[in-house]
Amino acid sequence: MRRLTTVLAGVCAAALFAVLTVALGSPAVAATLVEVTGFGNNPGNMRMHVYVPEPRPASPAIVVAMHGCGGSGPGFYQGSEFASLADRYGFVVIYPTATQSAGFGNCFDTWSDAAKQRNGGSDPVSIISMIDYVERTYQGDPNRVYATGSSSGGMMTQHMLAVYPDVFKAGASFMGVPFNCFAGASDYPPGSSRCTGGSMDRTPQQWGDAVRQAYPGFSGPRPRMQLWHGTSDTLVPYSLLRESIEQWTNVFGLSQTPTSTDTPQANWSRSRYADPSGTVQVEAYSIQGAGHVLPQSGMARYAIEFFGLTTSQTDTTPPTTPGTPVASDVTATSATLTWTASTDQGGSGLAGYTVYREQGTTDPQLGQSATTSINLTGLSADTQYQVYVRARDGAGNLSGDSAPVTFTTAATGGDTTAPTAPAGLAASGTTATGTSLTWTASTDDTGVTGYEILRAPGATGGTFTQAGTSATTSFTDTGLTANTTYRYQVRARDAAGNVSPVSDTVQITTQAGTTGACSATPTVQSQWGNGYVIQPLTITNTSTSTITSWTVTFTLPAGHTLTGSWNATITTSGQTVTARSVSHNGTLAPGASTTSFGFQASRPSGDTALPSGYTCA
């Protein structure tokens, strides 16, 4: 059984597509767009259309393709290229139709509290029901589910991948915004939105934390993300592409400096962010001169290629069967499994493993892993489990079942008693970037196994989130911002999973730091006939003291005009540009750098000159 997951929706107007008249029915007729009624739980009051190619593979991939505000599923079917690609590569396309409104009609809900909560209701739950329907009716492959969309649908794409990372393999967001960009329905219309008003600027850490908090405790592989934006988009500003890049690179723990850049087509600038193994986890396209008009011809093909679906019909060879799993560290609620790796046989690459429990005619999934081990949690105490592992490749082929392993979780003895709250929480040794915490140990009838350290910003308000864990009664928190107030609490956990009340709160304010020298190093991300993007403009603290702000000046060549910038306050005097740090990137420890600042400029056609005279103070 799939764990139900929540999907999130988007904003901003996109072109209105003509509505295609379709017949009601279930299941859909192959190679015909068909509306499905009664597909399952539908709190968003959405409509569902599905396109099933002919011939249909035995276990097809699933692509959810979402329209912009004011559009419809049939309209997006007619106005995009995903159906024709489905005919060629053999995947099923779901075309949802949104019916909600927050300033625009027919927008995917990415603003409400319900939509931002896993299984909270609204449009995300409706979309998950559509996916479940296709898996049941057409034997859709649950390990190859993808999301894409334009404008509001692009926003929902990023939203869904944040709230349901275990459902989706990858996404392609056209003209979208980062997850949790909208504060509520009143923040949605572009005319009054802080998100799309052109001034949205959060740190990569803040953006990444928003995704991680959408599904607390998720430890599986994250879905890969492809991002598209036009440099002349004024409805959903181009600067939001940088914010989305910051969010998803932070989620993957990657640098915001691309590992490679290229120009796959004229006026397309592509930046790729790969992990140490060389896998591209985040990919961003800047379409020079394009407004709010994506996707354009050929772009859907690049999205499907990013999903890995362009090779799905040629690779039909499954991986080899994994080795017999071995269970260890078995507790009342968890167990660790390890096994010998499978080998890919068809050329599409080994994508990961799925763990199943033998349980009658339907074996439920217990989890997925990208490696040859997994920590299973949420198990029932004093219960026997017989589990096995299957490998899957990039084309969705599944290996045979491994031999099973049987283990029994520990009995808890009915332990439902939480540890006592930690006492005496105190902070010491606070610097500009860190502080040390100590407390008195909690007590418990079965023994305390560790402590969770919670942190909240500011003296009041702000939500406490987990800053780390400790097996002892001390913890050092680092990476804090200078001259900033934080509050801390600690709670204990025992072997049965019981959690104590939180400790008293301790408040600290980091030191202000001192000023020093710095350097500015530009990187040309992309160039085209009459413009260019400098990203990042790396600011490095070259002194031996922490600096709390920086100012960079540089000169634009004659005829060049600054057309956009991000993560700095900009003033110009003639051709001289002055960029000053903002709240989240001004403080740098000795030797530290920030790569968040960048800018875009136009220049006369044929001119190849670039800015010069960079200084930092």
Side-chain angles (χ1 to χ4, degrees):
M1 289 282 293
R2 170 193 301 285
R3 291 170 295 176
L4 259 186
T5 27
T6 311
V7 189
L8 302 104
V11 186
C12 301
L16 205 60
F17 296 108
V19 176
L20 181 69
T21 302
V22 295
L24 296 178
S26 172
V29 178
T32 301
L33 185 69
V34 174
E35 184 165 7
V36 176
T37 58
F39 53 84
N41 187 19
N42 186 19
N45 192 32
M46 302 180 74
R47 295 172 62 195
M48 173 188 177
H49 290 79
V50 62
Y51 183 82
V52 183
E54 178 65 37
R56 172 170 56 90
S59 183
I62 303 169
V63 175
V64 182
M66 294 172 280
H67 62 78
C69 281
S72 69
F76 199 50
Y77 159 79
Q78 187 179 45
S80 64
E81 299 171 323
F82 292 104
S84 61
L85 291 166
D87 287 333
R88 181 175 180 182
Y89 296 111
F91 55 86
V92 173
V93 189
I94 297 171
Y95 293 97
T97 296
T99 62
Q100 301 202 51
S101 173
F104 289 99
N106 285 26
C107 299
F108 291 98
D109 177 10
T110 53
W111 58 82
S112 75
D113 289 341
K116 295 176 184 177
Q117 299 176 27
R118 187 179 180 82
N119 303 328
S122 195
D123 292 353
V125 170
S126 297
I127 294 173
I128 292 299
S129 296
M130 297 179 193
I131 295 170
D132 288 339
Y133 174 87
V134 171
E135 291 178 3
R136 294 191 310 268
T137 307
Y138 302 107
Q139 292 73 54
D141 186 350
N143 297 310
R144 293 192 298 156
V145 180
Y146 307 87
T148 188
S150 171
S151 192
S152 173
M155 299 169 190
M156 189 56 136
T157 295
Q158 298 191 48
H159 198 89
M160 292 295 283
L161 267 62
V163 179
Y164 292 101
D166 55 333
V167 173
F168 293 93
K169 180 90 169 178
S173 170
F174 294 89
M175 309 179 303
V177 302
F179 168 68
N180 204 24
C181 189
F182 295 105
S186 62
D187 187 43
Y188 191 76
S192 60
S193 175
R194 181 170 180 266
C195 172
T196 57
S199 60
M200 174 56 69
D201 184 13
R202 295 176 184 159
T203 67
Q205 185 69 35
Q206 288 171 327
W207 283 124
D209 285 346
V211 172
R212 286 182 284 271
Q213 291 164 12
Y215 185 1
F218 177 72
S219 59
R222 291 279 177 178
R224 300 162 63 239
M225 178 64 75
Q226 186 185 69
L227 305 161
W228 297 75
H229 225 106
T231 61
S232 297
D233 192 336
T234 57
L235 187 60
V236 180
Y238 174 64
S239 59
L240 288 173
L241 175 63
R242 169 51 45 187
E243 300 300 305
S244 290
I245 292 172
E246 291 180 354
Q247 180 168 75
W248 294 102
T249 52
N250 184 269
V251 166
F252 281 103
L254 303 176
S255 168
Q256 293 159 51
T257 301
T259 51
S260 66
T261 59
D262 64 354
T263 305
Q265 292 194 25
N267 298 323
W268 292 17
S269 298
R270 177 169 60 185
S271 299
R272 287 172 157 171
Y273 304 82
D275 61 21
S277 71
T279 301
V280 176
Q281 303 289 7
V282 180
E283 187 173 82
Y285 288 79
S286 294
I287 310 304
Q288 311 307 327
H292 200 71
V293 293
L294 307 184
Q296 296 174 336
S297 177
M299 294 179 179
R301 172 64 171 75
Y302 277 78
I304 296 304
E305 185 176 61
F306 182 76
F307 294 165
L309 299 183
T310 55
T311 59
S312 62
Q313 288 192 318
T314 58
D315 178 8
T316 59
T317 306
T320 60
T321 301
T324 305
V326 175
S328 62
D329 299 327
V330 179
T331 70
T333 59
S334 66
T336 297
L337 299 182
T338 57
W339 56 88
T340 303
S342 298
T343 302
D344 176 53
Q345 301 289 295
S348 59
L350 196 66
Y353 301 87
T354 304
V355 179
Y356 299 87
R357 180 184 183 186
E358 289 191 355
Q359 189 171 297
T361 57
T362 302
D363 292 347
Q365 284 190 27
L366 293 182
Q368 294 185 357
S369 176
T371 67
T372 56
S373 66
I374 190 172
N375 183 36
L376 300 175
T377 59
L379 305 181
S380 300
D382 197 19
T383 302
Q384 185 181 87
Y385 286 82
Q386 189 169 23
V387 300
Y388 60 91
V389 181
R390 300 183 74 182
R392 63 184 186 278
D393 64 18
N397 299 305
L398 294 176
S399 74
D401 302 348
S402 73
V405 62
T406 302
F407 61 88
T408 301
T409 53
T412 63
D415 178 16
T416 59
T417 302
T420 60
L425 180 62
S428 62
T430 301
T431 66
T433 60
T435 191
S436 295
L437 303 173
T438 57
W439 57 89
T440 302
S442 299
T443 59
D444 184 72
D445 55 351
T446 61
V448 173
T449 58
Y451 297 88
E452 299 173 355
I453 294 81
L454 310 178
R455 181 181 64 210
T460 58
T463 302
F464 280 93
T465 58
Q466 187 167 310
T469 60
S470 176
T472 66
T473 55
S474 64
F475 178 79
T476 298
D477 196 15
T478 59
L480 304 180
T481 302
N483 197 28
T484 302
T485 299
Y486 297 91
R487 288 168 293 139
Y488 290 92
Q489 297 173 343
V490 179
R491 61 190 179 195
R493 183 181 295 273
D494 67 15
N498 299 305
V499 178
S500 78
V502 296
S503 68
D504 290 337
T505 301
V506 65
Q507 179 175 306
I508 63 104
T509 300
T510 53
Q511 296 179 8
T514 58
T515 59
C518 57
S519 64
T521 304
T523 299
V524 180
Q525 183 187 79
S526 59
Q527 299 189 64
W528 56 99
N530 59 351
Y532 50 88
V533 172
I534 304 294
Q535 169 62 35
L537 183 54
T538 303
I539 314 301
T540 302
N541 180 1
T542 58
S543 74
T544 58
S545 303
T546 298
I547 62 174
T548 57
S549 65
W550 46 261
T551 300
V552 171
T553 59
F554 56 91
T555 302
L556 294 173
H560 292 217
T561 302
L562 198 70
T563 58
S565 63
W566 41 92
N567 295 328
T569 301
I570 301 294
T571 57
T572 59
S573 177
Q575 295 303 107
T576 301
V577 180
T578 301
R580 293 180 174 85
S581 58
V582 290
S583 60
H584 70 262
N585 63 7
T587 300
L588 296 174
S593 299
T594 178
T595 58
S596 61
F597 170 45
F599 64 90
Q600 179 177 325
S602 63
R603 62 188 175 189
S605 181
D607 186 356
T608 59
L610 292 169
S612 61
Y614 293 91
T615 62
C616 183

